[in-house]
Amino acid sequence: MALFPEQVGLLNTAPPTVFLAGPPGTGKSVVLLLMAMEWLRRGSDTRIVSTCRESRAACSMLRHLLQQTVTSLPSDPLPPGQVHLLQYDFQTEDIVKRAVDELVQAAGAGPLHVIIDEAGPDDRYDHFQLFCKELLTRVPSLHLWAASCYHGHAPADWPVEYLTRPLRFPPAVARQVEQDTDMKVSRRVRTYSRRSVPDVTDGPPVTVRLHKGQGHSMHEPASNCERCGQDLADFLSTLGVGGGEAAPLTLRFRDVLVVGTHNVHNMSGLVTGLRKSRVPVKVFTDSDTDDLATGRSDVIWVAHGKPRPRPGTKNRRLSRQHTR
């Protein structure tokens, strides 16, 4: 796996605690994964802690990948450590206290190794900061690496490593991500810096489908428009999505995630339109986290995302990015 020098340097230095911040696709989760792999290789049990509902899919993916690592590591002369996934929702200080108590008990008198991706929750990140402070106070030999797009989530006095060079997607996608209000307006997420290495390609163009025109339910959001679901199905068909096992380079249904900015359920127009076009679709719930993270079911997942309207936007949009 290719990494930037700053990422390699961080892994080689391996400070006991660090907070990784930076925009999406800059390798934060990759660095967490590689650090946890090293801990496991040394025989240290590693605990992946999900601190909010929004982080469960990312943390389940990390658990899945690390579990694969454990099964492939030799057990001689030192058996590898074990992977544990702990799920919390830091909405109250009582939950934070319970999480600290459970981790302190797990550590005993020894060191504690913790990975936290998508640290939050976004609306109560002070609880995450309290968690880090209390855990470090009670476990002096703490090894905790955490990451978030939001640099304001970093605990006070903790070292912060900013990763801002796009690692895993081309410029066309980076330009689209930079339009988010958290980067353009509130500055809660840092903008991308130059890669300083040649890009092989600018990447596929971002395609936009407008929620307007004949057949569209203009009194409803795009996520409840059956015509939008059918238009999306037509677009996915042009990409060859779901090409079957005979075409290994073709995108499968499970490679596609649809995120609606309004409430999405089984009877939503978008879901109905996809199903009428014979697209296998499933609406995501908390119980589906492992399935989504590991890609077991070959279906298009539809999930609900938090609405973040952009200033000056008049038309509601249905957009899809095709990246490989």
Side-chain angles (χ1 to χ4, degrees):
M1 180 180 293
L3 297 174
F4 291 120
E6 59 267 27
Q7 295 165 328
V8 176
L10 179 62
L11 290 166
N12 287 336
T13 306
T17 58
V18 69
F19 187 90
L20 306 177
T26 52
K28 300 184 299 297
S29 297
V30 173
V31 171
L32 293 182
L33 175 68
L34 293 174
M35 190 68 257
M37 288 171 60
E38 178 62 17
W39 292 341
L40 292 168
R41 187 187 66 80
R42 297 176 183 175
S44 300
D45 287 357
T46 298
R47 286 166 173 80
I48 304 168
V49 177
S50 171
T51 61
C52 57
R53 294 182 60 190
E54 293 83 359
S55 70
R56 289 178 184 175
C59 290
S60 292
M61 174 67 79
L62 281 173
R63 191 269 301 271
H64 173 67
L65 294 173
L66 288 174
Q67 194 60 54
Q68 289 181 325
T69 298
V70 169
T71 58
S72 65
L73 287 173
S75 58
D76 184 37
L78 182 68
Q82 296 300 308
V83 181
H84 305 272
L85 175 61
L86 305 175
Q87 294 184 342
Y88 303 99
D89 192 357
F90 286 177
Q91 290 293 341
T92 68
E93 291 190 10
D94 287 342
I95 297 176
V96 172
K97 182 180 183 300
R98 176 166 62 87
V100 172
D101 289 342
E102 291 176 355
L103 285 166
V104 169
Q105 182 178 5
L112 179 66
H113 295 78
V114 177
I115 289 291
I116 300 177
D117 203 2
E118 305 287 351
D122 191 23
D123 57 343
R124 296 309 305 265
Y125 58 84
D126 55 327
H127 286 167
F128 165 71
Q129 295 170 344
L130 175 64
F131 167 80
C132 294
K133 178 182 177 181
E134 292 295 322
L135 192 59
L136 183 58
T137 300
R138 297 179 61 182
V139 185
S141 55
L142 175 65
H143 297 260
L144 194 161
W145 283 37
S148 172
C149 290
Y150 304 105
H151 48 78
H153 290 194
D157 302 324
W158 276 45
V160 179
E161 184 74 22
Y162 291 98
L163 303 179
T164 56
R165 291 203 274 179
L167 178 69
R168 307 196 329 159
F169 48 61
V173 177
R175 290 195 297 270
Q176 183 70 15
V177 175
E178 284 182 319
Q179 302 308 307
D180 189 270
T181 55
D182 281 339
M183 299 178 74
K184 289 190 67 175
V185 180
S186 67
R187 307 294 184 182
R188 299 170 66 221
V189 179
R190 288 199 173 189
T191 58
Y192 293 105
S193 58
R194 297 185 61 181
R195 280 172 50 87
S196 300
V197 294
D199 289 300
V200 177
T201 173
D202 189 60
V206 175
T207 301
V208 176
R209 297 286 188 269
L210 295 178
H211 171 50
K212 62 184 298 185
Q214 185 175 3
H216 289 268
S217 305
M218 296 309 299
H219 60 285
E220 295 282 355
S223 57
N224 200 30
C225 175
E226 189 173 311
R227 180 69 254 178
C228 281
Q230 294 171 340
D231 286 349
L232 178 56
D234 292 342
F235 174 61
L236 294 174
S237 178
T238 66
L239 302 177
V241 175
E245 297 295 339
L249 296 182
T250 300
L251 286 170
R252 304 297 303 276
F253 291 118
R254 61 172 171 257
D255 298 320
V256 179
L257 172 66
V258 179
V259 181
T261 55
H262 292 77
N263 186 34
V264 180
H265 49 81
N266 279 314
M267 300 305 295
S268 295
L270 180 68
V271 176
T272 302
L274 287 167
R275 286 179 174 150
K276 284 187 175 181
S277 301
R278 299 183 178 181
V279 173
V281 59
K282 190 172 182 180
V283 177
F284 175 78
T285 64
D286 285 346
S287 61
D288 299 314
T289 300
D290 281 344
D291 195 351
L292 173 64
T294 58
R296 285 196 302 264
S297 299
D298 193 22
V299 298
I300 287 180
W301 289 97
V302 180
H304 169 65
K306 295 180 180 179
R308 287 177 180 170
R310 298 173 187 168
T313 299
K314 296 181 179 180
N315 294 324
R316 289 172 292 201
R317 293 183 175 184
L318 172 66
S319 63
R320 235 1 258 165
Q321 287 181 176
H322 167 48
T323 62
R324 179 179 295 175

